Amino acid sequence: DNVYVCGYTYGSFPGYTLNGGYDAFVMKYDKNGQFLWVKQYGTDKQTTGSSLAMDNSGNIYVCGYVWGLLGASWGGADDIYVRKYNSRGEEVWTRQLALLLMEKPNSMYIDALNDIYITGITDGSGYDAFIAKLSQTAYYISGYVKDIEGNGIGNIDVLLSGTVSSMTVTQNDGFYVFSNLPETGNYI
């Protein structure tokens, strides 16, 4: 099994130049810890790599937040992005969720249908948790985001409150079941 790491850097990896204040990166190591590749990317401001996941075909997905244009459009604040790489480290696509609010992802999960779920925080009139479901069937992000106070950004099927550090999503009779959540907090 390979090991993947994502994050952000204030410097430059060999072969790359820092784009802005800090850039996101994703690295791949083999099962023996041998370095295989690194990808560094960003805007002229800031870009982070917050979470990563792998689909059934071995593609790697990195999500984070970006200030500036990384995908098709920018909402004017910290936007969520998802970038897909194949197992060789070649970029397949980048999607940017460009809203007018600040959104920062914390965790990402990919289900058996390769739908992408992201949890994080948004700041509309105060910090709130959100969950977004993204589909891969279109170029744009076709998910919905809504904060826990009901300030409508879109439609959503599942709503969480509290702190989510990691999660597992399974589908049971049309309902999504979340597990591996912290013991504290109120969940709807």
Side-chain angles (χ1 to χ4, degrees):
D1 292 283
N2 295 308
V3 176
Y4 297 90
V5 179
C6 73
Y8 61 94
T9 179
Y10 292 95
S12 298
F13 289 101
Y16 289 92
T17 302
L18 183 66
N19 292 298
Y22 46 92
D23 288 351
F25 70 86
V26 59
M27 295 178 159
K28 180 178 181 179
Y29 295 87
D30 69 16
K31 64 182 178 181
N32 298 315
Q34 294 294 324
F35 173 78
L36 298 175
W37 51 257
V38 63
K39 302 297 175 182
Q40 180 177 338
Y41 55 93
T43 65
D44 63 345
K45 300 288 188 230
Q46 60 191 24
T47 309
T48 68
S50 302
S51 184
L52 56 82
M54 185 180 298
D55 68 17
N56 296 331
S57 300
N59 297 304
I60 301 97
Y61 299 77
V62 179
C63 76
Y65 65 89
V66 58
W67 183 275
L69 185 62
L70 189 64
S73 61
W74 177 41
D78 287 326
D79 289 341
I80 299 168
Y81 78 89
V82 177
R83 181 167 277 193
K84 178 180 179 180
Y85 290 95
N86 63 26
S87 61
R88 295 178 307 280
E90 300 164 335
E91 181 185 344
V92 178
W93 50 251
T94 299
R95 312 282 195 264
Q96 186 168 341
L97 183 57
L99 302 172
L100 297 176
L101 305 173
M102 179 280 298
E103 306 86 33
K104 292 186 177 179
N106 292 328
S107 185
M108 178 172 51
Y109 172 80
I110 300 176
D111 68 14
L113 300 174
N114 290 331
D115 290 324
I116 302 165
Y117 298 84
I118 299 173
T119 62
I121 60 170
T122 182
D123 184 11
S125 58
Y127 286 106
D128 294 311
F130 75 85
I131 184 169
K133 178 182 177 183
L134 292 69
S135 171
Q136 298 193 47
T137 58
Y139 175 74
Y140 57 89
I141 291 178
S142 59
Y144 301 95
V145 178
K146 188 171 181 181
D147 68 35
I148 62 170
E149 292 179 3
N151 300 326
I153 302 170
N155 297 320
I156 192 165
D157 296 323
V158 180
L159 202 52
L160 300 177
S161 66
T163 301
V164 178
S165 58
S166 66
M167 66 177 178
T168 302
V169 182
T170 55
Q171 190 172 10
N172 185 1
D173 295 327
F175 293 93
Y176 290 97
V177 179
F178 292 80
S179 57
N180 297 334
L181 295 171
E183 294 181 9
T184 59
N186 298 316
Y187 304 100
I188 297 173

